[in-house]
mmCIF file of all heavy atoms in Angstrom:
data_model
loop_
_atom_site.group_PDB
_atom_site.id
_atom_site.type_symbol
_atom_site.label_atom_id
_atom_site.label_comp_id
_atom_site.label_asym_id
_atom_site.label_seq_id
_atom_site.Cartn_x
_atom_site.Cartn_y
_atom_site.Cartn_z
ATOM 1 N N GLY R 1 0.850 -1.271 0.101
ATOM 2 C CA GLY R 1 -0.114 -0.019 0.026
ATOM 3 C C GLY R 1 0.846 1.223 0.045
ATOM 4 O O GLY R 1 1.942 1.292 -0.614
ATOM 5 N N GLN R 2 0.349 2.263 0.766
ATOM 6 C CA GLN R 2 1.131 3.457 0.761
ATOM 7 C C GLN R 2 2.090 3.414 2.052
ATOM 8 O O GLN R 2 1.702 3.459 3.127
ATOM 9 C CB GLN R 2 0.196 4.600 0.968
ATOM 10 C CG GLN R 2 -0.669 4.925 -0.285
ATOM 11 C CD GLN R 2 -1.479 6.124 -0.153
ATOM 12 O OE1 GLN R 2 -1.658 6.806 0.912
ATOM 13 N NE2 GLN R 2 -2.088 6.514 -1.214
ATOM 14 N N PRO R 3 3.379 3.357 1.756
ATOM 15 C CA PRO R 3 4.354 3.250 2.903
ATOM 16 C C PRO R 3 4.471 4.546 3.607
ATOM 17 O O PRO R 3 4.222 5.584 3.062
ATOM 18 C CB PRO R 3 5.737 2.910 2.126
ATOM 19 C CG PRO R 3 5.575 3.507 0.819
ATOM 20 C CD PRO R 3 4.061 3.349 0.493
ATOM 21 N N ASN R 4 4.928 4.383 4.914
ATOM 22 C CA ASN R 4 5.075 5.718 5.622
ATOM 23 C C ASN R 4 6.390 6.341 5.323
ATOM 24 O O ASN R 4 6.504 7.616 5.269
ATOM 25 C CB ASN R 4 5.099 5.325 7.225
ATOM 26 C CG ASN R 4 3.770 4.955 7.683
ATOM 27 O OD1 ASN R 4 2.780 5.263 7.185
ATOM 28 N ND2 ASN R 4 3.795 4.011 8.794
ATOM 29 N N THR R 5 7.431 5.634 5.033
ATOM 30 C CA THR R 5 8.685 6.103 4.638
ATOM 31 C C THR R 5 9.315 5.187 3.593
ATOM 32 O O THR R 5 8.936 4.120 3.298
ATOM 33 C CB THR R 5 9.732 6.044 5.818
ATOM 34 O OG1 THR R 5 9.861 4.759 6.304
ATOM 35 C CG2 THR R 5 9.218 6.895 6.985
ATOM 36 N N VAL R 6 10.219 5.777 2.831
ATOM 37 C CA VAL R 6 10.991 5.165 1.769
ATOM 38 C C VAL R 6 12.412 5.573 2.007
ATOM 39 O O VAL R 6 12.771 6.780 2.051
ATOM 40 C CB VAL R 6 10.435 5.550 0.343
ATOM 41 C CG1 VAL R 6 11.388 4.763 -0.658
ATOM 42 C CG2 VAL R 6 9.073 5.094 0.123
ATOM 43 N N LYS R 7 13.323 4.657 2.076
ATOM 44 C CA LYS R 7 14.711 4.965 2.358
ATOM 45 C C LYS R 7 15.383 5.446 1.021
ATOM 46 O O LYS R 7 14.881 5.029 0.011
ATOM 47 C CB LYS R 7 15.465 3.620 2.879
ATOM 48 C CG LYS R 7 14.962 3.227 4.306
ATOM 49 C CD LYS R 7 15.737 2.061 4.680
ATOM 50 C CE LYS R 7 15.145 1.576 6.039
ATOM 51 N NZ LYS R 7 15.788 0.312 6.426
ATOM 52 N N LEU R 8 16.385 6.218 1.120
ATOM 53 C CA LEU R 8 17.031 6.729 0.017
ATOM 54 C C LEU R 8 17.717 5.621 -0.813
ATOM 55 O O LEU R 8 17.696 5.589 -2.011
ATOM 56 C CB LEU R 8 18.041 7.768 0.332
ATOM 57 C CG LEU R 8 17.554 9.170 0.915
ATOM 58 C CD1 LEU R 8 18.611 9.920 1.384
ATOM 59 C CD2 LEU R 8 16.621 9.650 -0.124
ATOM 60 N N ASP R 9 18.164 4.608 -0.032
ATOM 61 C CA ASP R 9 18.778 3.403 -0.822
ATOM 62 C C ASP R 9 17.768 2.667 -1.681
ATOM 63 O O ASP R 9 18.109 2.243 -2.660
ATOM 64 C CB ASP R 9 19.313 2.443 0.164
ATOM 65 C CG ASP R 9 20.598 3.010 0.867
ATOM 66 O OD1 ASP R 9 21.140 3.966 0.398
ATOM 67 O OD2 ASP R 9 20.957 2.490 2.003
ATOM 68 N N GLU R 10 16.551 2.584 -1.030
ATOM 69 C CA GLU R 10 15.356 1.985 -1.851
ATOM 70 C C GLU R 10 14.999 2.818 -3.063
ATOM 71 O O GLU R 10 14.798 2.180 -4.157
ATOM 72 C CB GLU R 10 14.156 1.803 -0.930
ATOM 73 C CG GLU R 10 14.329 0.789 0.190
ATOM 74 C CD GLU R 10 13.250 0.801 1.188
ATOM 75 O OE1 GLU R 10 12.377 1.728 1.192
ATOM 76 O OE2 GLU R 10 13.171 -0.114 2.023
ATOM 77 N N LEU R 11 15.140 4.096 -3.031
ATOM 78 C CA LEU R 11 14.805 4.846 -4.116
ATOM 79 C C LEU R 11 15.778 4.795 -5.282
ATOM 80 O O LEU R 11 15.501 4.773 -6.390
ATOM 81 C CB LEU R 11 14.698 6.481 -3.770
ATOM 82 C CG LEU R 11 13.440 6.909 -3.140
ATOM 83 C CD1 LEU R 11 13.468 8.336 -2.674
ATOM 84 C CD2 LEU R 11 12.306 6.650 -4.098
ATOM 85 N N ASP R 12 17.190 4.583 -4.841
ATOM 86 C CA ASP R 12 18.236 4.399 -5.702
ATOM 87 C C ASP R 12 17.991 3.145 -6.554
ATOM 88 O O ASP R 12 18.129 2.913 -7.677
ATOM 89 C CB ASP R 12 19.520 4.385 -5.073
ATOM 90 C CG ASP R 12 20.045 5.752 -4.602
ATOM 91 O OD1 ASP R 12 19.523 6.641 -5.166
ATOM 92 O OD2 ASP R 12 20.913 5.699 -3.641
ATOM 93 N N VAL R 13 17.639 2.135 -5.737
ATOM 94 C CA VAL R 13 17.314 0.740 -6.411
ATOM 95 C C VAL R 13 16.154 0.790 -7.383
ATOM 96 O O VAL R 13 16.219 0.318 -8.508
ATOM 97 C CB VAL R 13 17.069 -0.427 -5.312
ATOM 98 C CG1 VAL R 13 16.660 -1.634 -6.006
ATOM 99 C CG2 VAL R 13 18.341 -0.599 -4.495
ATOM 100 N N ILE R 14 15.134 1.415 -6.940
ATOM 101 C CA ILE R 14 13.935 1.537 -7.846
ATOM 102 C C ILE R 14 14.303 2.372 -9.062
ATOM 103 O O ILE R 14 13.860 1.937 -10.083
ATOM 104 C CB ILE R 14 12.785 2.291 -7.024
ATOM 105 C CG1 ILE R 14 12.176 1.405 -5.882
ATOM 106 C CG2 ILE R 14 11.573 2.601 -7.884
ATOM 107 C CD1 ILE R 14 11.371 2.075 -4.888
ATOM 108 N N CYS R 15 15.063 3.458 -8.900
ATOM 109 C CA CYS R 15 15.401 4.178 -10.166
ATOM 110 C C CYS R 15 16.317 3.329 -11.033
ATOM 111 O O CYS R 15 16.156 3.442 -12.324
ATOM 112 C CB CYS R 15 16.188 5.489 -9.677
ATOM 113 S SG CYS R 15 14.990 6.723 -8.998
ATOM 114 N N ALA R 16 17.238 2.591 -10.426
ATOM 115 C CA ALA R 16 18.130 1.713 -11.350
ATOM 116 C C ALA R 16 17.279 0.679 -12.080
ATOM 117 O O ALA R 16 17.603 0.430 -13.224
ATOM 118 C CB ALA R 16 19.101 1.048 -10.308
ATOM 119 N N VAL R 17 16.367 0.046 -11.390
ATOM 120 C CA VAL R 17 15.609 -0.947 -11.945
ATOM 121 C C VAL R 17 14.607 -0.423 -13.110
ATOM 122 O O VAL R 17 14.552 -1.030 -14.219
ATOM 123 C CB VAL R 17 14.776 -1.759 -11.000
ATOM 124 C CG1 VAL R 17 13.701 -2.705 -11.591
ATOM 125 C CG2 VAL R 17 15.580 -2.536 -10.092
ATOM 126 N N LEU R 18 14.058 0.723 -12.793
ATOM 127 C CA LEU R 18 13.130 1.354 -13.851
ATOM 128 C C LEU R 18 13.811 2.166 -14.836
ATOM 129 O O LEU R 18 13.290 2.520 -15.813
ATOM 130 C CB LEU R 18 12.125 2.208 -13.115
ATOM 131 C CG LEU R 18 11.103 1.478 -12.201
ATOM 132 C CD1 LEU R 18 10.250 2.425 -11.459
ATOM 133 C CD2 LEU R 18 10.335 0.452 -12.789
ATOM 134 N N GLY R 19 15.081 2.527 -14.633
ATOM 135 C CA GLY R 19 15.839 3.270 -15.530
ATOM 136 C C GLY R 19 15.278 4.761 -15.575
ATOM 137 O O GLY R 19 15.145 5.217 -16.750
ATOM 138 N N CYS R 20 15.030 5.277 -14.488
ATOM 139 C CA CYS R 20 14.455 6.628 -14.388
ATOM 140 C C CYS R 20 15.182 7.407 -13.353
ATOM 141 O O CYS R 20 16.102 6.941 -12.696
ATOM 142 C CB CYS R 20 12.981 6.626 -14.185
ATOM 143 S SG CYS R 20 12.530 5.940 -12.571
ATOM 144 N N GLY R 21 14.893 8.603 -13.189
ATOM 145 C CA GLY R 21 15.501 9.466 -12.250
ATOM 146 C C GLY R 21 14.458 9.800 -11.134
ATOM 147 O O GLY R 21 13.321 9.556 -11.205
ATOM 148 N N LEU R 22 14.976 10.363 -10.016
ATOM 149 C CA LEU R 22 14.170 10.744 -8.880
ATOM 150 C C LEU R 22 12.957 11.745 -9.312
ATOM 151 O O LEU R 22 11.933 11.654 -8.770
ATOM 152 C CB LEU R 22 14.862 11.311 -7.708
ATOM 153 C CG LEU R 22 15.821 10.362 -6.954
ATOM 154 C CD1 LEU R 22 16.564 11.018 -5.891
ATOM 155 C CD2 LEU R 22 14.858 9.293 -6.227
ATOM 156 N N GLU R 23 13.290 12.658 -10.151
ATOM 157 C CA GLU R 23 12.329 13.629 -10.591
ATOM 158 C C GLU R 23 11.166 12.985 -11.249
ATOM 159 O O GLU R 23 10.017 13.660 -11.346
ATOM 160 C CB GLU R 23 12.882 14.682 -11.446
ATOM 161 C CG GLU R 23 13.443 14.231 -12.752
ATOM 162 C CD GLU R 23 14.728 13.537 -12.699
ATOM 163 O OE1 GLU R 23 15.459 13.644 -11.629
ATOM 164 O OE2 GLU R 23 15.185 13.052 -13.797
ATOM 165 N N GLU R 24 11.329 11.825 -11.741
ATOM 166 C CA GLU R 24 10.152 11.199 -12.460
ATOM 167 C C GLU R 24 9.347 10.274 -11.373
ATOM 168 O O GLU R 24 8.243 9.980 -11.702
ATOM 169 C CB GLU R 24 10.754 10.163 -13.483
ATOM 170 C CG GLU R 24 11.387 10.926 -14.600
ATOM 171 C CD GLU R 24 12.134 9.905 -15.702
ATOM 172 O OE1 GLU R 24 11.389 9.580 -16.549
ATOM 173 O OE2 GLU R 24 13.187 9.679 -15.415
ATOM 174 N N LEU R 25 9.933 9.973 -10.228
ATOM 175 C CA LEU R 25 9.182 9.252 -9.174
ATOM 176 C C LEU R 25 8.534 10.155 -8.257
ATOM 177 O O LEU R 25 7.478 9.818 -7.786
ATOM 178 C CB LEU R 25 10.155 8.248 -8.500
ATOM 179 C CG LEU R 25 10.790 7.163 -9.342
ATOM 180 C CD1 LEU R 25 11.585 6.310 -8.373
ATOM 181 C CD2 LEU R 25 9.537 6.207 -9.779
ATOM 182 N N LEU R 26 9.227 11.214 -7.764
ATOM 183 C CA LEU R 26 8.740 12.089 -6.733
ATOM 184 C C LEU R 26 8.023 13.247 -7.311
ATOM 185 O O LEU R 26 8.650 14.059 -8.088
ATOM 186 C CB LEU R 26 9.881 12.421 -5.833
ATOM 187 C CG LEU R 26 10.646 11.395 -5.075
ATOM 188 C CD1 LEU R 26 11.834 12.039 -4.356
ATOM 189 C CD2 LEU R 26 9.791 10.515 -4.381
ATOM 190 N N LEU R 27 6.717 13.437 -7.103
ATOM 191 C CA LEU R 27 5.964 14.526 -7.553
ATOM 192 C C LEU R 27 5.650 15.463 -6.439
ATOM 193 O O LEU R 27 5.174 15.073 -5.385
ATOM 194 C CB LEU R 27 4.747 14.092 -8.249
ATOM 195 C CG LEU R 27 4.839 13.043 -9.463
ATOM 196 C CD1 LEU R 27 3.537 12.524 -9.839
ATOM 197 C CD2 LEU R 27 5.659 13.706 -10.500
#
């Protein structure tokens, strides 16, 4: 569901897997 927090390391992994940047994930 909607997590309370997301670690910066997790965001790095998600961006690497999806091939995108943080600006595309965080609105």
Side-chain angles (χ1 to χ4, degrees):
Q2 293 184 350
N4 291 333
T5 60
V6 177
K7 296 179 184 177
L8 294 177
D9 292 341
E10 293 171 346
L11 282 177
D12 287 339
V13 170
I14 293 169
C15 288
V17 169
L18 295 177
C20 64
L22 286 176
E23 66 279 353
E24 296 173 88
L25 291 178
L26 302 177
L27 302 174

